[in-house]
Structure formats: C-alpha cells, structure tokens
Amino acid sequence: MAASRSDAPVVIAVAITGSVPRKADNPAVPVTVAEQIESTHQAFEAGATLCHIHVRNDDESPSSDPEKFAAVQEGLRTHCPGMIVQFSTGGRGRDPAARGLSLKHRPDMASLSTGSVNFPTIVYENSASLVTDLASQMKRYGVRPEIEVFDLSHLHGAKRLVEAGLIDARPHVQFVMGVQNAMPAEEHLLDILLAETRRILPEATWTAAGIGRNQAVVMAWALARGADAVRTGLEDNIRVTKDRLAASNAELVGLAAEAVARHGRRVATPAEARAALGLT
Ligand code: ZN
C-alpha cells in the first residue's frame, strides 16, 4: 500500500465543525455557512488540502440540508482553489434516510462508515442496508468515499463493498481512535489495523484520526508509519494543550504541518493531494 512511499507529500485533512454542540468552551468552532467558509479558508492557507464538512441548523443542531452543504462547497471552490471537498454522511443527530441527500451535489468525497459502533451516549447505527445504499449513491454521483473505521470489522465492511463493485479497490481509509466506548487510541491497535488493511485492501491509502487529547499522538503514530494523510480540526479536538483552547482550525492545521515536517515529509499541494487520493 502507499505506506511504503514514505517520502510522498502528506495530505492535511481538516474537520472543521462536527456534530457536537458549540458550547462556551469551544467558541472557535464554525457553525454558520459563512463562518465555515472563512475558517476553512484560513485552514487552507495554513496547508490543509481536504475539508471534512458537517452543516448545522439555525439552532446549531446537526443538519442534513443539501443546500447548506452546497453553499459551503460553493464557497470553498471560490476561496480555496483545488481543495478536496468532503461531505459527512455521518449519523449523530441525523435521520438515516437523510444522510445521503447532499451527495447529489457531487462533492469530491464523502465519509462512509461501514459498520455500527458504540459512541459516548448513543449507538452509531450503520446497518448493512444503509451502508450499501450510501455507497450506491456515492457511486451514482461519482463521489469518492473515505471509509471511516471505528472498529476492525469496518475494514471488512469496506472489503464487501469492493467485492460488490460499489467502491474501487483503492479506497481511502481513516482509522478513528479515541472515541469513548469505541476503539481506544493505542499504538499497537494501529499496527493491527494497518496489517489487516494491507492484507485485505492492499491498494488502499490511509490516515488516522485521534479524538480529543489523542489528536497529536495518533497523528505522530500515523506519520511514523508513512500515512498518506493526517487529520486535524476542531471536530475532533478543541485544545492545543490541556490548558489552552485552539484559536481556530488554522492553528491546528499549523501544528499538523509542523508534525509533518518533524517526520521529514512535506505538506501536499492541492494537486498532489488529489493525485494521492485518486481524484482527478
Ligand atoms: Zn465528521
């Protein structure tokens, strides 16, 4: 897999917003469409080349409104030329039947969870039929999936989609570590996940996301193993240190760029990011 190309430039993905309600302790999280475009533009200038997007209703609850997704995408295409636009089809607080509604706007990518898992307070439900339906819609609209792996079995969920002809044999896979009640952030687990990925999806590109205080350490583990991309952003983590909040998504992207350099690699340009992840 691409992990052997350890001199390849690294894609920095920024998850700008997420689903967790904006509280007094995370005021930097962008919520309105205008805030999201501005925050992403700053992150783009700091080196991010992939933006993972959730949108919110006016009361800040998670939204599936396809027109809001389209508005963010339009702003990014204007202000962040070449940046990879990735819509979330994730579930927290959203009607399962509505999770794919934004795909008709043909973002470059969309997240695709290939199995269910426990989250802090809910079961994150991704039934086999829902996974198949979302993958089918992504295929129909030419949207490249990012496979979200919250558990080892989710890799096999991706493999089944390859065998069914719904995704190609070179998916982009993200291991998500440190979600409470799901997979813990432990280094040896990343090795197990990578070994299994190489065995069943040998052409896959990959990245890893550490949630909360695990963000920086999971990024370092991924870079040490030749990851194609790293993931940061206020969706996953709002702190720079235990005692200091991140001022912006751009600040977290800047820290990711420093981590990339510490590992002797360089940050991908938008064109390099597209090539790395199989986008034209
Ligand atoms: Zn997300």
Side-chain angles (χ1 to χ4, degrees):
M1 65 198 300
S4 59
R5 296 180 294 113
S6 59
D7 57 341
V10 180
V11 179
I12 298 180
V14 61
I16 55 171
T17 299
S19 311
V20 178
R22 175 161 63 175
K23 296 173 294 219
D25 68 346
N26 57 354
V29 176
V31 170
T32 68
V33 169
E35 288 171 352
Q36 291 184 303
I37 294 168
E38 174 60 24
S39 183
T40 307
H41 184 218
Q42 294 170 4
F44 178 73
E45 296 203 317
T49 46
L50 188 161
C51 182
H52 171 82
I53 300 163
H54 295 247
V55 295
R56 300 291 187 87
N57 296 309
D58 291 342
D59 67 358
E60 301 196 3
S61 61
S63 170
S64 292
D65 181 355
E67 300 321 310
K68 278 204 168 162
F69 278 101
V72 179
Q73 173 167 257
E74 188 182 333
L76 266 50
R77 287 190 173 156
T78 301
H79 297 286
C80 311
M83 191 176 209
I84 297 167
V85 173
Q86 181 187 91
F87 291 170
S88 172
T89 65
R92 274 162 281 192
R94 296 169 67 183
D95 173 6
R99 283 167 46 183
L101 290 178
S102 65
L103 296 171
K104 66 182 179 185
H105 290 298
R106 300 177 183 272
D108 299 299
M109 300 183 80
S111 59
L112 177 62
S113 295
T114 47
S116 302
V117 68
N118 283 335
F119 269 7
T121 59
I122 62 164
V123 177
Y124 180 31
E125 283 193 60
N126 295 287
S127 68
S129 60
L130 176 64
V131 173
T132 300
D133 177 58
L134 286 170
S136 301
Q137 292 190 59
M138 289 182 199
K139 183 178 182 185
R140 181 182 320 140
Y141 292 116
V143 179
R144 203 161 162 67
E146 175 181 275
I147 306 297
E148 306 301 331
V149 173
F150 292 90
D151 188 77
L152 184 67
S153 65
H154 300 175
L155 274 175
H156 288 266
K159 175 71 170 172
R160 286 193 294 276
L161 295 176
V162 173
E163 290 168 349
L166 290 174
I167 65 175
D168 68 45
R170 188 180 175 262
H172 184 52
V173 173
Q174 173 158 267
F175 308 114
V176 187
M177 312 187 87
V179 176
Q180 188 190 346
N181 302 328
M183 202 157 49
E186 293 184 20
E187 193 168 12
H188 74 280
L189 292 181
L190 182 57
D191 287 323
I192 291 169
L193 292 162
L194 274 174
E196 188 66 356
T197 304
R198 290 188 177 107
R199 194 176 73 82
I200 66 171
L201 296 167
E203 295 174 66
T205 55
W206 70 278
T207 183
I211 304 305
R213 61 188 167 77
N214 304 295
Q215 186 168 66
V217 69
V218 170
M219 190 181 299
W221 298 339
L223 286 166
R225 288 161 177 75
D228 300 278
V230 293
R231 155 124 160 189
T232 191
L234 293 167
E235 170 173 349
D236 299 349
N237 168 46
I238 60 171
R239 293 181 185 281
V240 173
T241 65
K242 183 166 62 69
D243 302 316
R244 189 164 82 73
L245 291 172
S248 63
N249 279 301
E251 182 176 20
L252 293 174
V253 170
L255 294 172
E258 290 173 11
V260 168
R262 273 200 302 278
H263 283 82
R265 300 188 52 194
R266 65 181 179 81
V267 175
T269 65
E272 288 169 338
R274 286 176 176 274
L277 301 190
L279 295 157
T280 48

